Amino acid sequence: TQSTWGRNFLFSSNMGFLTKPLLIDARGHLLGRLAAVVAKTILQGQRVVVVRCEGINISGNFYRNKLKYLNHLRKRCNVKPSRGPFHFRAPSRLFFKAVRGMLPHKTARGKEAISRLKVFEGIPPPFDKQKRMVVPSALKVLRLKQIRRYCDLNRLSHEIGWKYQNVISTLEAKRKIKSKQYYDKKKAMNLLKDQARKNVSKKTEQYQKVIEAYGFR
């Protein structure tokens, strides 16, 4: 099953407006479903940051999806290829283009919406120290049957020309080591706090009753 440790749940795109950007951990999400939720959210005026785009899944086996992308890369201006279209290889840009296709990106409203979106491979600072969310309606484990084949953008992007797979994997390994050290330290501190509360519970019992009488804990 997909681990969602350290991540909150983002249940709907029709949520209240937040001043801070929503931080979504894209690992284990289906590309189109996540793009649809993000597109609707940024159109409503909410800023969104999507991290770990290399962990996004696409339904269908790897070979089939690779053929689709290789066919897509052949499309260019026959007269002067430097005119475009420009095909990006990075996972974050593939996701960005999926979102852009769901927006009226040539209008003023669409341009403003797309400016509210930021996409990253890995989890760069300062987002590595912030609480990340998932979108249950787009999670692969909840939306795709176990017997169905799927692939991820990490391998797909690498095989169509993305050059930074090793760099991102190295940086992510370092980040996970730091994150584990922080979490272990936090658990130890919580145990010490609980023990300290037990040690002084008899001394603070009468004060605790007064505090609880006012509706506090």
Coordinates of all heavy atoms in Angstrom, one line a residue, residues 82-129:
S82 N 13.5 25.3 -34.8 CA 13.8 26.2 -33.7 C 12.6 27.1 -33.3 O 12.6 27.7 -32.2 CB 15.1 27.1 -33.9 OG 14.8 27.9 -35.0
R83 N 11.6 27.1 -34.1 CA 10.4 27.9 -33.8 C 9.5 27.2 -32.8 O 8.7 27.7 -32.1 CB 9.6 28.1 -35.0 CG 10.1 29.1 -36.0 CD 9.2 29.2 -37.2 NE 9.7 30.2 -38.2 CZ 9.2 30.4 -39.4 NH1 8.2 29.7 -39.8 NH2 9.7 31.4 -40.2
G84 N 9.7 25.9 -32.6 CA 8.9 25.1 -31.7 C 8.1 24.1 -32.5 O 8.2 24.0 -33.7
P85 N 7.2 23.3 -31.8 CA 7.0 23.3 -30.4 C 8.2 22.7 -29.6 O 8.9 21.9 -30.2 CB 5.8 22.4 -30.2 CG 5.8 21.5 -31.4 CD 6.4 22.4 -32.5
F86 N 8.4 23.2 -28.4 CA 9.5 22.7 -27.6 C 9.0 21.7 -26.6 O 8.1 21.9 -25.8 CB 10.1 23.9 -26.8 CG 10.5 25.1 -27.7 CD1 9.7 26.2 -27.7 CD2 11.6 24.9 -28.6 CE1 10.1 27.3 -28.6 CE2 11.9 26.0 -29.4 CZ 11.2 27.1 -29.5
H87 N 9.6 20.5 -26.7 CA 9.2 19.3 -25.9 C 10.1 19.2 -24.7 O 11.3 18.9 -24.8 CB 9.2 18.1 -26.7 CG 8.3 18.2 -27.9 ND1 7.0 18.4 -27.9 CD2 8.6 18.1 -29.3 CE1 6.5 18.5 -29.1 NE2 7.5 18.3 -30.0
F88 N 9.6 19.4 -23.5 CA 10.4 19.3 -22.3 C 10.4 17.8 -21.9 O 9.5 17.1 -22.1 CB 9.8 20.1 -21.2 CG 9.9 21.6 -21.5 CD1 8.8 22.3 -21.9 CD2 11.1 22.3 -21.4 CE1 8.8 23.6 -22.2 CE2 11.2 23.6 -21.6 CZ 10.0 24.3 -22.0
R89 N 11.5 17.4 -21.2 CA 11.7 16.0 -20.8 C 11.6 15.8 -19.3 O 11.4 14.7 -18.9 CB 13.1 15.6 -21.2 CG 13.2 14.9 -22.6 CD 13.1 15.9 -23.7 NE 13.6 15.2 -25.0 CZ 13.6 15.9 -26.1 NH1 13.2 17.1 -26.2 NH2 14.0 15.2 -27.2
A90 N 11.7 16.9 -18.5 CA 11.7 16.7 -17.0 C 10.3 16.4 -16.6 O 9.3 16.9 -17.1 CB 12.2 18.0 -16.4
P91 N 10.2 15.5 -15.5 CA 8.9 15.1 -15.0 C 8.0 16.3 -14.6 O 6.8 16.3 -14.8 CB 9.2 14.3 -13.8 CG 10.6 13.8 -14.1 CD 11.3 14.8 -14.8
S92 N 8.6 17.3 -14.0 CA 7.9 18.5 -13.5 C 7.3 19.2 -14.7 O 6.1 19.7 -14.6 CB 8.8 19.5 -12.7 OG 9.9 19.9 -13.5
R93 N 8.0 19.3 -15.8 CA 7.5 20.0 -17.0 C 6.4 19.2 -17.7 O 5.5 19.8 -18.3 CB 8.6 20.3 -18.0 CG 9.8 21.1 -17.4 CD 9.3 22.4 -16.7 NE 8.6 23.3 -17.7 CZ 8.1 24.5 -17.3 NH1 8.1 24.8 -16.0 NH2 7.5 25.2 -18.2
L94 N 6.5 17.9 -17.7 CA 5.5 17.0 -18.2 C 4.2 17.2 -17.5 O 3.1 17.3 -18.1 CB 5.9 15.6 -18.2 CG 7.1 15.1 -19.1 CD1 7.3 13.6 -18.9 CD2 6.9 15.5 -20.5
F95 N 4.3 17.3 -16.1 CA 3.1 17.6 -15.3 C 2.6 19.0 -15.6 O 1.3 19.2 -15.7 CB 3.4 17.4 -13.8 CG 2.3 17.7 -12.9 CD1 1.2 16.8 -12.8 CD2 2.2 18.8 -12.2 CE1 0.1 17.1 -12.0 CE2 1.2 19.1 -11.3 CZ 0.1 18.3 -11.3
F96 N 3.5 19.9 -15.6 CA 3.1 21.3 -15.9 C 2.3 21.5 -17.2 O 1.3 22.1 -17.3 CB 4.3 22.2 -16.0 CG 4.1 23.7 -16.2 CD1 3.8 24.5 -15.1 CD2 4.0 24.2 -17.5 CE1 3.5 25.9 -15.3 CE2 3.8 25.5 -17.7 CZ 3.5 26.4 -16.6
K97 N 2.7 20.7 -18.2 CA 2.1 20.8 -19.5 C 0.7 20.2 -19.5 O -0.3 20.6 -20.1 CB 2.9 20.1 -20.6 CG 2.5 20.5 -22.0 CD 3.5 20.1 -23.0 CE 3.1 20.6 -24.4 NZ 4.0 20.2 -25.5
A98 N 0.6 19.1 -18.6 CA -0.8 18.4 -18.5 C -1.7 19.4 -17.8 O -2.9 19.5 -18.2 CB -0.6 17.2 -17.6
V99 N -1.3 20.2 -16.8 CA -2.1 21.2 -16.1 C -2.5 22.3 -17.1 O -3.6 22.8 -17.2 CB -1.4 21.7 -14.9 CG1 -2.3 22.8 -14.2 CG2 -1.2 20.6 -13.9
R100 N -1.4 22.8 -17.8 CA -1.7 23.9 -18.8 C -2.7 23.5 -19.8 O -3.5 24.4 -20.2 CB -0.3 24.2 -19.5 CG -0.4 25.6 -20.2 CD 0.8 25.8 -21.1 NE 0.9 24.9 -22.2 CZ 1.8 24.9 -23.2 NH1 2.8 25.8 -23.1 NH2 1.7 24.1 -24.2
G101 N -2.8 22.3 -20.2 CA -3.8 21.9 -21.2 C -5.2 21.9 -20.7 O -6.1 21.9 -21.5
M102 N -5.3 22.0 -19.4 CA -6.7 22.0 -18.7 C -7.1 23.5 -18.4 O -8.1 23.7 -17.7 CB -6.7 21.2 -17.5 CG -6.4 19.7 -17.8 SD -6.4 18.7 -16.3 CE -5.9 17.1 -16.9
L103 N -6.2 24.4 -18.8 CA -6.5 25.8 -18.5 C -6.7 26.6 -19.8 O -6.1 26.3 -20.8 CB -5.3 26.4 -17.7 CG -5.0 25.8 -16.3 CD1 -3.7 26.4 -15.8 CD2 -6.1 26.1 -15.3
P104 N -7.4 27.7 -19.7 CA -7.5 28.7 -20.8 C -6.2 29.5 -20.8 O -6.3 30.8 -20.6 CB -8.7 29.5 -20.6 CG -8.9 29.5 -19.1 CD -8.3 28.2 -18.6
H105 N -5.0 28.9 -21.1 CA -3.8 29.6 -20.8 C -3.4 30.8 -21.7 O -2.4 31.5 -21.4 CB -2.6 28.5 -20.8 CG -2.4 28.0 -22.1 ND1 -3.1 26.9 -22.6 CD2 -1.5 28.3 -23.1 CE1 -2.6 26.6 -23.8 NE2 -1.7 27.4 -24.2
K106 N -4.2 31.0 -22.7 CA -3.9 32.1 -23.6 C -4.7 33.4 -23.2 O -4.5 34.5 -23.8 CB -4.2 31.8 -25.1 CG -3.3 30.7 -25.6 CD -3.5 30.4 -27.1 CE -2.5 29.4 -27.5 NZ -2.6 29.1 -29.0
T107 N -5.6 33.2 -22.2 CA -6.4 34.4 -21.8 C -5.7 35.0 -20.5 O -4.8 34.3 -19.9 CB -7.8 34.0 -21.4 OG1 -7.8 33.1 -20.3 CG2 -8.5 33.3 -22.6
A108 N -6.1 36.2 -20.1 CA -5.5 36.8 -18.9 C -5.8 35.9 -17.7 O -4.9 35.8 -16.8 CB -6.0 38.2 -18.8
R109 N -7.0 35.4 -17.6 CA -7.4 34.6 -16.4 C -6.5 33.3 -16.3 O -6.1 32.9 -15.3 CB -8.9 34.2 -16.5 CG -9.4 33.3 -15.5 CD -10.9 33.2 -15.6 NE -11.4 32.2 -14.7 CZ -11.9 31.0 -15.1 NH1 -11.8 30.7 -16.4 NH2 -12.3 30.1 -14.3
G110 N -6.3 32.7 -17.5 CA -5.5 31.5 -17.5 C -4.1 31.7 -17.2 O -3.4 31.0 -16.5
K111 N -3.5 32.9 -17.7 CA -2.1 33.2 -17.4 C -1.9 33.5 -15.9 O -0.9 33.1 -15.4 CB -1.7 34.4 -18.2 CG -1.5 34.1 -19.7 CD -1.2 35.4 -20.5 CE -1.1 35.1 -22.0 NZ -0.9 36.3 -22.8
E112 N -2.9 34.2 -15.3 CA -2.8 34.4 -13.9 C -2.8 33.1 -13.1 O -2.1 32.9 -12.1 CB -3.9 35.4 -13.4 CG -3.6 36.8 -13.8 CD -4.8 37.7 -13.4 OE1 -5.6 37.2 -12.6 OE2 -4.8 38.9 -13.8
A113 N -3.7 32.2 -13.6 CA -3.9 30.9 -12.9 C -2.6 30.1 -12.9 O -2.1 29.5 -11.9 CB -5.0 30.1 -13.5
I114 N -2.0 30.1 -14.1 CA -0.8 29.2 -14.3 C 0.4 29.8 -13.6 O 1.4 29.1 -13.2 CB -0.5 29.1 -15.8 CG1 0.1 27.7 -16.0 CG2 0.4 30.1 -16.4 CD1 0.0 27.2 -17.4
S115 N 0.4 31.1 -13.3 CA 1.5 31.8 -12.5 C 1.4 31.4 -11.0 O 2.4 31.6 -10.3 CB 1.4 33.3 -12.6 OG 0.3 33.8 -12.0
R116 N 0.2 30.8 -10.6 CA 0.1 30.4 -9.2 C 0.6 29.0 -9.0 O 0.6 28.5 -7.8 CB -1.4 30.4 -8.8 CG -2.0 31.8 -8.9 CD -3.4 31.8 -8.3 NE -4.1 33.0 -8.7 CZ -5.1 33.1 -9.7 NH1 -5.5 32.0 -10.3 NH2 -5.6 34.3 -10.0
L117 N 1.1 28.3 -10.0 CA 1.5 26.9 -9.9 C 3.1 26.8 -9.9 O 3.7 27.5 -10.8 CB 1.0 26.1 -11.0 CG 1.4 24.6 -11.1 CD1 1.0 23.8 -9.9 CD2 0.9 24.0 -12.4
K118 N 3.7 26.1 -9.0 CA 5.1 25.8 -9.0 C 5.3 24.3 -8.9 O 4.5 23.6 -8.2 CB 5.8 26.5 -7.8 CG 5.9 28.0 -7.9 CD 6.8 28.5 -6.9 CE 6.8 30.0 -6.8 NZ 6.9 30.7 -8.1
V119 N 6.2 23.8 -9.8 CA 6.4 22.3 -9.8 C 7.9 22.0 -9.6 O 8.7 22.7 -10.1 CB 5.9 21.7 -11.1 CG1 4.4 21.7 -11.2 CG2 6.4 22.5 -12.3
F120 N 8.2 20.9 -8.9 CA 9.6 20.6 -8.6 C 9.8 19.1 -8.7 O 8.9 18.3 -8.3 CB 10.0 21.0 -7.2 CG 9.9 22.5 -7.0 CD1 8.8 23.1 -6.4 CD2 10.9 23.3 -7.4 CE1 8.7 24.5 -6.2 CE2 10.9 24.7 -7.2 CZ 9.8 25.3 -6.6
E121 N 11.0 18.6 -9.1 CA 11.4 17.3 -8.8 C 12.1 17.2 -7.4 O 12.7 18.2 -7.0 CB 12.5 16.8 -9.8 CG 12.0 16.6 -11.2 CD 12.0 17.8 -12.1 OE1 12.8 18.7 -11.8 OE2 11.3 17.8 -13.1
G122 N 11.9 16.1 -6.7 CA 12.4 16.1 -5.3 C 11.6 17.0 -4.5 O 10.6 17.6 -4.8
I123 N 12.2 17.3 -3.3 CA 11.6 18.3 -2.3 C 12.6 19.3 -1.9 O 13.4 19.0 -0.9 CB 11.0 17.6 -1.1 CG1 10.1 16.4 -1.5 CG2 10.2 18.6 -0.2 CD1 9.4 15.7 -0.4
P124 N 12.8 20.4 -2.7 CA 13.8 21.3 -2.3 C 13.4 22.2 -1.1 O 12.3 22.2 -0.7 CB 13.9 22.2 -3.6 CG 12.5 22.1 -4.1 CD 12.0 20.7 -3.8
P125 N 14.4 22.8 -0.4 CA 14.1 23.7 0.7 C 13.3 24.9 0.1 O 13.5 25.3 -1.1 CB 15.5 24.2 1.2 CG 16.5 23.3 0.5 CD 15.9 22.7 -0.7
P126 N 12.4 25.5 0.8 CA 12.1 25.2 2.2 C 10.9 24.2 2.4 O 10.5 24.0 3.5 CB 11.6 26.6 2.7 CG 10.9 27.2 1.5 CD 11.7 26.7 0.3
F127 N 10.5 23.6 1.3 CA 9.4 22.7 1.3 C 9.7 21.4 2.0 O 8.7 20.7 2.4 CB 8.9 22.4 -0.1 CG 8.6 23.6 -0.9 CD1 9.3 23.9 -2.0 CD2 7.7 24.6 -0.5 CE1 9.1 25.1 -2.8 CE2 7.4 25.7 -1.2 CZ 8.2 26.0 -2.3
D128 N 11.0 21.0 2.2 CA 11.3 19.8 2.9 C 11.0 19.8 4.4 O 10.9 18.8 5.0 CB 12.8 19.5 2.7 CG 13.7 20.6 3.2 OD1 13.2 21.7 3.3 OD2 14.9 20.3 3.4
K129 N 10.7 21.0 4.9 CA 10.4 21.2 6.4 C 8.9 21.6 6.6 O 8.6 22.0 7.7 CB 11.3 22.2 7.0 CG 12.8 21.7 7.1 CD 13.6 22.7 7.8 CE 15.0 22.2 8.1 NZ 15.8 21.9 6.9

